[in-house]
């Protein structure tokens, strides 16, 4: 995988899960997948190790975030705005250490590099304020979504980021989609529609109210749009400049921290002043923060060993695992036949979107 592809993947640090797999443009990923995976036994082992890491990261963040937002505690619940800011701080420190490693543990070399790439290039640095602001909004929306939706419904619905990314890639980058990609997008929309189809189930076992369901779905849809736009915007920037993947993430983290801190003080300032920024934090809260900050960086490193089929398989396994855990452990999800049909259509769409068919002369361009 090229350095720019790694940067593009790691930049979308939240998407969450799930995200980083679907945000790869179909046109570029088809070309890269032929060179990402070799036939050596060592590479084969790395492929399946990558599969495990992708499934673990994609599933664990969603489930722990959902659990942390529904866990009944005696004291005040942690502030989601605080968790977003804390994750950005951890991300900045992690990327700074990686830059330190890249410069052979030389503080002088690292300082010179950061000064050259960040301070002396203010215009290039300011370009990242746009995706940083959108990613900050997206991270807060994901907390809202998982506070109102079960993990299974969230996982399936959030795959709409494939659709938004494809549409923004067409409009902003002039990318072309083949027949299989368009068919996958139709399957995706049909699947998500079925997952959100209203059911007649009522009674004491119903956990979510209609109002909270609507709030959760709207939050997911807004996160999908913001994810698609920010990812494509960031890809466009990467095509114009050359920088270290970790330096780019430091720049994104700095803007995200500033914007996130401002948002926290505007919306939760009174709570922060009364009980502190880390009120309600527990072990599960810190787990969510670490997964949110470091998870995307880990995926960016290992995903170069995964081809399109493996990425689709990881997404599918993650959806299935989230469904099972939501039903058996969290007890906040009661699947229906319509849900399973919609989930299968979404899973099929993730495979079809990355299918490497023969280049068609009739590829559709909008």
């Amino acid at each position: 995988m090229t350095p720019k592809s790694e940067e593009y993947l790691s930049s979308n640090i939240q998407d969450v899960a799930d995200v980083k797999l679907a945000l790869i443009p179909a046109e570029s990923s088809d070309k890269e997948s032929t060179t990402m995976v070799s036939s050596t036994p060592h590479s084969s082992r790395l492929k399946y190790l990558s599969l495990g890491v992708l499934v673990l990261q994609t599933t664990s963040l969603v489930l722990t975030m959902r659990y942390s937002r529904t866990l009944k505690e005696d004291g005040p619940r942690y502030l989601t705005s605080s968790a977003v800011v804390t994750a950005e701080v951890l991300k900045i420190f992690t990327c700074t250490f990686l830059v330190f490693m890249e410069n052979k543990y030389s503080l002088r070399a690292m300082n010179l590099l950061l000064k050259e790439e960040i301070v002396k290039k203010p215009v290039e640095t300011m370009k990242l304020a746009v995706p940083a602001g959108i990613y900050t909004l997206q991270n807060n929306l994901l907390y809202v979504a998982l506070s109102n939706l079960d993990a299974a419904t969230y996982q399936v619905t959030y795959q709409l980021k494939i659709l938004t990314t494809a549409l923004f890639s067409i409009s902003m980058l002039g990318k072309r989609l083949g027949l299989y990609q368009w068919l996958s997008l139709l399957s995706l929309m049909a699947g998500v529609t079925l997952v959100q189809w209203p059911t007649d189930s009522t009674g004491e076992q119903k956990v979510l109210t209609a109002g909270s369901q609507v709030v959760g779905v709207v939050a997911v849809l807004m996160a999908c749009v913001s994810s698609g736009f920010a990812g494509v915007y960031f890809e466009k920037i990467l095509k114009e400049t050359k920088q270290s993947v970790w330096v780019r993430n430091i720049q994104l983290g700095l803007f995200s921290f500033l914007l996130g801190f401002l948002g926290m003080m505007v919306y939760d300032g009174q709570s922060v002043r009364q009980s502190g920024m880390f009120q309600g934090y527990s072990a599960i809260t810190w787990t969510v923060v670490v997964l949110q900050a470091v998870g995307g960086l880990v995926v960016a490193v290992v995903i170069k060993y995964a081809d399109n089929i493996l990425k689709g398989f990881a997404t599918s396994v993650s959806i299935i695992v989230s469904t099972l855990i939501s039903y058996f452990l969290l007890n906040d999800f009661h699947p229906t036949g319509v849900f399973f049909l919609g989930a299968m259509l979404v899973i099929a769409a993730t495979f079809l979107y990355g299918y490497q068919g023969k280049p068609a002369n009739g590829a559709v361009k909008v």
Side-chain angles (χ1 to χ4, degrees), residues 47 66 83 87 109 115 124 149 192 199 219 222 243 287 309 316 337:
K47 275 182 60 177
R66 170 64 180 170
K115 184 177 180 180
E124 297 297 325
L149 291 177
V192 172
T199 62
M222 291 177 65
Q243 272 188 338
T287 301
I309 295 177
S316 304

Side-chain angles (χ1 to χ4, degrees), residues 80 82 104 106 133 199 223 238 249 252 311 316:
T80 58
S82 167
K104 300 179 180 179
S106 170
T199 62
L238 290 176
N249 277 296
L252 276 174
K311 287 179 287 188
S316 304

Side-chain angles (χ1 to χ4, degrees), residues 166-327:
L167 295 179
F168 281 119
S169 295
I170 292 170
S171 61
M172 295 173 62
L173 301 178
K175 289 187 178 293
R176 288 154 49 103
L177 298 182
L179 176 62
Y180 289 114
Q181 281 71 50
W182 283 110
L183 289 176
S184 75
L185 296 181
L186 292 175
S187 175
L188 179 68
M189 289 186 291
V192 172
T193 300
L194 289 176
V195 167
Q196 298 299 333
W197 197 265
T199 62
D200 297 330
S201 59
T202 57
E204 296 180 357
Q205 291 184 342
K206 188 172 182 179
V207 179
L208 301 175
T209 65
S212 65
Q213 186 86 9
V214 171
V215 171
V217 171
V218 171
V220 173
L221 295 179
M222 291 177 65
C224 289
V225 174
S226 62
S227 172
F229 176 79
V232 174
Y233 181 91
F234 192 75
E235 183 190 10
K236 191 173 183 179
I237 293 177
L238 290 176
K239 290 185 175 181
E240 301 172 355
T241 59
K242 294 181 179 180
Q243 272 188 338
S244 164
V245 55
W246 311 125
V247 172
R248 277 299 192 189
N249 277 296
I250 290 174
Q251 291 172 307
L252 276 174
L254 289 172
F255 281 115
S256 297
F257 167 75
L258 292 175
L259 295 172
F261 186 82
L262 178 62
M264 180 182 67
M265 296 310 298
V266 170
Y267 292 102
D268 297 313
Q270 184 175 357
S271 297
V272 172
R273 286 188 289 269
Q274 289 178 350
S275 305
M277 178 177 170
F278 300 105
Q279 58 181 287
Y281 270 53
S282 62
I284 190 67
T285 308
W286 283 109
T287 301
V288 171
V289 169
V290 171
L291 286 172
Q292 197 174 29
V294 182
L297 300 177
V298 173
V299 172
V301 173
V302 304
I303 199 165
K304 60 183 176 181
Y305 300 108
D307 55 20
N308 282 315
I309 295 177
L310 205 62
K311 287 179 287 188
F313 187 67
T315 301
S316 304
V317 172
S318 179
I319 290 174
I320 294 171
V321 172
S322 296
T323 301
L324 294 175
I325 294 180
S326 292
Y327 180 72

